Each structure stands twice: as C-alpha cells, then as structure tokens.
Amino acid sequence: MAEIRVQNLVKSFGDFTAVKGANFTVRDGDFFCLLGPSGCGKTTTLRMVAGLELPSSGSIQLDGEDVTFKRARERDIAMVFQLFALYPHMNVRKNIAFPLVSMGVGRDEIRRRVEEAARTLRITHLLDKSVSGLSSGDRQRVALGRAIVREPKAFMMDEPLGALDAEFRHIMCTDLRNLHDRLGATTVYVTHDQLEAMSMADVIAVMNEGRIEQLGSPQEIYDRPASLFVADFIGSPPMNFLPFEGQVAPGDTIVTVDGARIAMPALREASDESELVLGVRPEHVQLTEAGALRGEVFGTEYLGTMQIVTVRTARATVKARIASSIPARVGENVGLAFAPERLSLFRGGTGKVLASALHDVAPTGGRHG
Ligand code: ATP
C-alpha cells in the first residue's frame, strides 16, 4: 500500500477556486476522511488525488513518486463511488473480474482473485447471480469487490454509502473499516456525514469553503476543535456557543460571561478581538442550584437513560446532556455549571480557537499513535 502526500493543492474553475491550498499526508495504512458540507471541495480534492482532475497548482506524491500530472490509470488507485456503476448484463463474478480482464490477467489468476475478494466481502454465495436482483448493500459490496480485486496501492471512496438506507449504512461502515484493516489498505474517504467520519477514520480533514480547517484524529477534532466551524460541524447536538465581550490575556483561567465567572483552560495567547465565544459540549454542562450563569428550561428531549435539556440564558441557548433521572421542568429557572477543563474559547470574528479542552495533552495522531 502507499503513502499519499498532498502539498499546496489548488483547483480553480475559471474565477472560482474550489480547493484553496490543501496540505495533508495520508500515512500508509491510514483511513483518511475528507469531511465537510456540500460544495466545500472534498470531491474535487479526491479527484485530483485519483488523477481524474488536474490541479491548477501544487503537488501529489504517491509512495514518494510525483504523480501530479500522471493519468488516473497510471496511479494504481481504485475508486468507489456512491452510485455503484455495475454492468447490469453481467453476473457478480464477471462484474468483479472486469478490471482484471481489462488488464489482461490470466484466467486462473482471475478466478483466484475474484473468489478471494468475494470471501473477504462475504458474497461468495452471490457470485453467479445477476446484479440486477441484489439489495443496495450487496450491490455496493460487488462494487467494492471490483475495487479490491485489483490490489491497488490506495482506495479513493466518494460517499460510497450515500445511496444506502440508514440501517445498511451503519452495517457497511463497520464492514468497510474491517475490510480496510484486513487488506492493510490506504483509504481516502469523502463524506459529509460526521458520524461516518468519526466512526471510521484514523485522521479527518475537516473542509470548509475550499480550505482544510482542521486535520486530526476524531478525538482531537472533537475535544479540541480549531474553529467555531469545526466545533459546530462535529457533534450531535453540536457544541454550545456563548458569545460575550471581554479582554483576555495569556495565562487567564477565568472569563466573565453575563456577569458569571467561568473557569476554563489557561489561555495561551491574548486576543486582539473583544468579541469572544465560549464553547462547551452538551455532555459537559450540568444543571445546578447555585450556578451564577442562569437560564430558563425551554425544553427537554428524552433519550432513554439520558436527556437533552435546552436552557435559554440571557444571550444564548444551551443544551445539556444529562441523566434522565435528573428532574428538569420546562419554565424552571436553573443554574448552569461547565466542566472547566473541557471548555473552548474562540475569537468571535475569525472563529479561530484561543484555548481549548485538554490542550496540553499531546496529539494522538490517529490510531497509529
Ligand atoms: P458535494 O458533496 O456536494 O459534491 P464537495 O465538497 O464534494 O460537495 P466539490 O464537488 O468538490 O464539493 O465542489 C466544490 C465546488 O466546486 C462546488 O462549488 C462545485 O460547484 C464546484 N465545482 C466542482 N466541479 C466543477 C466544475 N467542473 N466546474 C465548475 N465548478 C465546479
């Protein structure tokens, strides 16, 4: 398998720049997700790495070799798309074998590799069936079979589960990650679904308007979001934001929000902006009798053992994920307490982080440590 190194990658379509200088390395064996909302440049980035789109500038290396201007078929990369383009007139076996036939591989070798791919994907029993009668999950397995049978250096997957219903998607997420591990593959995976990315990736690149806003393991991105955009995009419900005005200095461990003094991680830098935003995830909010920051319970959402309680303060709406056994009545006045070491502080204007949860912990850099 392969390491992929992308440097200063830019893609413009006329006046519009879809990818504005992407830098990242996908380590050999990593499951790497490009995550972001529709139109942020994920697919364009993937297509450049795969060789389906030429960059305006920048470079792409595959296993140390510069492939920036090489054609897709010279890169030894397999693509899997959302719409599994299977040949309806061929059975499963022939669909999987197709790339090997095109490459001129011998019959016995084709049979061996197709059967091995089918075993890996647990679709041996479907090999002689027509693809037209298959469920969408099985059709996507056949499409994956066609990708893995080539034994490529890397897999590029563009929303491969997007056409499946929710239940299948969940099963296929686990299957895909297991498949990646068994093959020792290097995978670049495009999705707009943060839950998919969080559950599968070693490393996530969160993209916004053509830029990578943050690169890190799912836990780093969740615990230490680099910007308001990332903090809002990741997590369900997303992080709560409390805007306030104040002056902060390096070393500060207290901020004052609506008259309430709130302890937080020590600030590393001063802010040249007085508009600030305190961020706290719902699971790090507690309801308390005594809290100086107060609000009114606006709604409760029962989730079994947990509940989401929505509280309206003077200037923000805060959601708390707390045990269902804790009483919370709509209309009640409650205090809010935040876990100090779990808070993030952002600049209001640029949205960049100033201090964040556990920020002195060394980055993990994904499952490879
Ligand atoms: P989606 O999931 O909706 O495809 P994405 O993050 O993958 O989103 P891209 O497909 O990379 O986004 O597109 C990024 C931007 O570039 C979009 O605004 C899109 O309209 C534009 N774009 C992509 N391809 C072209 C093209 N060939 N010509 C002009 N604009 C393009």
Side-chain angles (χ1 to χ4, degrees):
M1 282 290 158
E3 181 186 89
I4 301 163
R5 191 178 288 261
V6 167
Q7 284 174 310
N8 304 322
L9 204 60
V10 174
K11 179 68 188 181
S12 301
F13 298 104
D15 292 344
F16 176 72
T17 304
V19 179
K20 302 171 181 165
N23 285 288
F24 59 87
T25 297
V26 184
R27 292 170 302 185
D28 185 19
D30 261 0
F31 198 112
F32 184 95
C33 276
L34 290 164
L35 171 69
S38 182
C40 70
K42 310 177 291 289
T43 295
T44 306
T45 305
L46 187 85
R47 287 173 58 81
M48 287 191 281
V49 175
L52 299 172
E53 195 87 68
L54 276 182
S56 306
S57 60
S59 71
I60 301 159
Q61 288 182 13
L62 190 59
D63 257 351
E65 184 197 353
D66 190 330
V67 295
T68 314
F69 297 106
K70 278 200 164 181
R71 275 185 271 224
R73 63 185 143 85
E74 295 168 322
R75 295 193 189 190
D76 199 8
I77 280 175
M79 290 284 299
V80 183
F81 298 98
Q82 178 181 64
L83 298 171
F84 8 90
L86 303 178
Y87 301 106
H89 58 286
M90 293 182 189
N91 66 12
V92 169
R93 184 185 295 277
K94 287 196 173 139
N95 263 283
I96 297 179
F98 188 79
L100 300 181
V101 174
S102 321
M103 287 156 68
V105 176
R107 276 180 63 168
D108 289 348
E109 177 65 5
I110 290 180
R111 171 176 278 272
R112 189 189 67 73
R113 277 160 70 171
V114 168
E115 287 178 1
E116 191 181 312
R119 262 196 308 280
T120 305
L121 292 158
R122 298 195 300 271
I123 51 171
T124 303
H125 60 292
L126 301 177
L127 275 175
D128 296 312
K129 292 225 158 86
S130 154
V131 292
S132 48
L134 299 182
S135 70
S136 53
D138 284 338
R139 288 168 68 83
Q140 193 55 307
R141 283 195 176 83
V142 177
L144 282 167
R146 206 159 62 186
I148 70 175
V149 79
R150 282 179 42 195
E151 300 172 2
K153 280 195 169 160
F155 294 100
M156 304 284 120
M157 303 196 184
D158 193 353
E159 305 257 9
L161 309 183
L164 306 185
D165 61 35
E167 188 194 349
F168 259 138
R169 223 173 24 234
H170 187 64
I171 296 169
M172 283 297 285
C173 271
T174 315
D175 280 6
L176 263 185
R177 178 67 216 208
N178 288 343
L179 180 68
H180 165 96
D181 290 342
R182 257 181 291 145
L183 296 173
T186 302
T187 303
V188 183
Y189 186 101
V190 161
T191 182
H192 65 275
D193 182 335
Q194 48 123 357
L195 293 177
E196 263 183 30
M198 296 296 273
S199 68
M200 283 195 278
D202 294 305
V203 177
I204 299 176
V206 185
M207 291 191 72
N208 180 28
E209 295 184 353
R211 291 186 205 286
I212 295 180
E213 291 238 349
Q214 188 167 7
L215 204 54
S217 70
Q219 192 182 356
E220 282 159 14
I221 284 174
Y222 188 82
D223 286 343
R224 299 191 292 280
S227 65
L228 283 171
F229 173 82
V230 175
D232 191 40
F233 196 75
I234 306 280
S236 178
M239 189 177 257
N240 296 298
F241 298 124
L242 291 98
F244 66 101
E245 289 200 9
Q247 298 297 328
V248 288
D252 280 1
T253 54
I254 301 276
V255 289
T256 306
V257 178
D258 292 342
R261 284 165 60 79
I262 294 174
M264 55 164 296
L267 267 180
R268 286 195 169 162
E269 10 171 350
S271 173
D272 38 10
E273 297 175 23
S274 59
E275 284 181 16
L276 301 167
V277 179
L278 189 70
V280 57
R281 294 220 173 266
E283 62 272 32
H284 302 135
V285 180
Q286 290 295 325
L287 305 190
T288 153
E289 295 267 307
L293 186 68
R294 304 197 67 84
E296 188 176 300
V297 176
F298 178 70
T300 61
E301 196 184 326
Y302 179 69
L303 300 174
T305 54
M306 303 300 282
Q307 61 180 332
I308 308 277
V309 179
T310 306
V311 177
R312 281 195 174 158
T313 71
R315 284 202 288 174
T317 298
V318 175
K319 288 185 185 285
R321 186 196 294 272
I322 57 173
S324 295
S325 54
I326 298 171
R329 283 182 305 279
V330 172
E332 186 183 7
N333 184 276
V334 291
L336 296 171
F338 304 147
E341 74 283 8
R342 292 294 190 160
L343 297 180
S344 296
L345 185 66
F346 303 93
R347 293 180 164 94
T350 61
K352 297 288 175 215
V353 74
L354 276 165
S356 66
L358 313 170
H359 68 175
D360 288 326
V361 178
T364 59
R367 295 185 198 198
H368 295 277

